Amino acid sequence: EIVLTQSPATLSLSPGERVTLSCRASQSVSSYLAWYQQKHGQAPRLLIYDASNRATGIPARFSGSGSGTDFTLTISSLEPEDFAVYYCQQRSSWPTFGQGTRLEIK
Amino acid sequence: QVQLQESGPGLVKPSETLALTCTVSGGSISSYYWSWIRQPPGKGLEWIGYVYYDGRTNYNPSLKSRVTISVDTSKKQFSVKLSSVTAADTAVFYCARGGGDHYNHYTMDVWGQGTTVTVSS
């Protein structure tokens, strides 16, 4: 099983700030990594696939990068609706998810 | 716009079989991979498995012995059965779509709203 470790567990920031979330894989997953956003009581929403491609309808302030074992999700300027939990997911083998990073309002 | 809706019992007794159905509306069930994912209370996401529209399946190895996922294209539904459940199987269960023209079969771009299943006597 490929284990994904996300850091930090929680981030407290203000609207307008730039944020970078990290996801590290226990072995190389090439570029086969996605990012999802989950708001309280809602289903996850696909943001980024294959490390750096924005999903349909996702604003340009969201960007992803990385390959191999180290990946980042960057939000260039936080909007109020961006405060949520973010999960990474690999598809190099059967899918596994990271434990999530909670982005909260400072 | 494709929508997914989970349905099934919200309460299942220990040792019994959990059974849920996902109904696809507003789009085709063909040429896509249909997954089930669960999320225990306050925890992260776990992929359970998928079924392709032609009936091919793939399961999470840790659940493989207890899981069956099937598809009924005529009803535009797919289903999951999880046997011998315990309290550890209590979770929100989501159905989701993968594959198609833009995404790999493990990249899930459309999700249902989720349904809570509690395992308790």
Side-chain angles (χ1 to χ4, degrees):
Chain A
E1 173 180 337
I2 297 176
V3 177
L4 299 179
T5 302
Q6 293 185 241
S7 60
T10 305
L11 268 174
S12 298
L13 293 167
S14 300
E17 290 194 86
R18 179 186 180 90
V19 62
T20 298
L21 310 182
S22 176
C23 177
R24 176 165 288 179
S26 59
Q27 63 189 76
S28 176
V29 297
S30 186
S31 62
Y32 301 144
L33 190 106
W35 291 92
Y36 296 82
Q37 175 194 67
Q38 187 177 35
K39 296 181 181 179
H40 183 70
Q42 297 185 17
R45 172 194 181 197
L46 177 67
L47 299 175
I48 300 289
Y49 67 98
D50 292 349
S52 61
N53 298 288
R54 272 191 304 277
T56 303
I58 300 304
R61 66 181 182 273
F62 292 92
S63 63
S65 64
S67 66
T69 60
D70 291 301
F71 300 86
T72 59
L73 172 70
T74 298
I75 309 173
S76 60
S77 179
L78 283 167
E79 297 287 341
E81 61 267 27
D82 298 337
F83 292 90
V85 179
Y86 291 82
Y87 292 96
C88 55
Q89 175 233 321
Q90 64 79 23
R91 65 170 182 87
S92 179
S93 70
W94 54 273
T96 56
F97 293 85
Q99 83 280 15
T101 289
R102 179 178 303 277
L103 190 51
E104 58 181 33
I105 298 177
K106 190 173 185 178
Chain B
Q1 182 172 341
V2 176
Q3 292 186 314
L4 307 181
Q5 179 66 59
E6 304 90 348
S7 59
L11 181 64
V12 180
K13 289 182 169 55
S15 80
E16 295 189 344
T17 296
L18 177 161
L20 299 172
T21 295
C22 183
T23 301
V24 180
S25 61
S28 175
I29 198 168
S30 298
S31 302
Y32 289 98
Y33 293 77
W34 303 96
S35 283
W36 287 95
I37 302 99
R38 67 179 181 177
Q39 185 170 36
K43 295 188 178 180
L45 300 159
E46 181 179 37
W47 179 77
I48 299 170
Y50 72 57
V51 61
Y52 192 42
Y53 78 100
D54 66 359
R56 281 179 280 167
T57 56
N58 190 22
Y59 300 130
N60 181 326
S62 69
L63 297 170
K64 188 173 184 178
S65 63
R66 297 196 292 134
V67 173
T68 302
I69 300 177
S70 58
V71 64
D72 184 336
T73 55
S74 66
K75 295 182 178 178
K76 295 180 70 175
Q77 293 178 333
F78 60 105
S79 301
V80 62
K81 292 184 178 180
L82 182 65
S83 64
S84 306
V85 297
T86 69
D89 294 309
T90 293
V92 175
F93 285 75
Y94 295 100
C95 57
R97 184 185 79 171
D101 292 338
H102 301 290
Y103 303 116
N104 174 271
H105 47 289
Y106 288 139
T107 299
M108 293 159 280
D109 70 322
V110 178
W111 294 62
Q113 65 185 26
T115 188
T116 299
V117 179
T118 301
V119 179
S120 175
S121 56

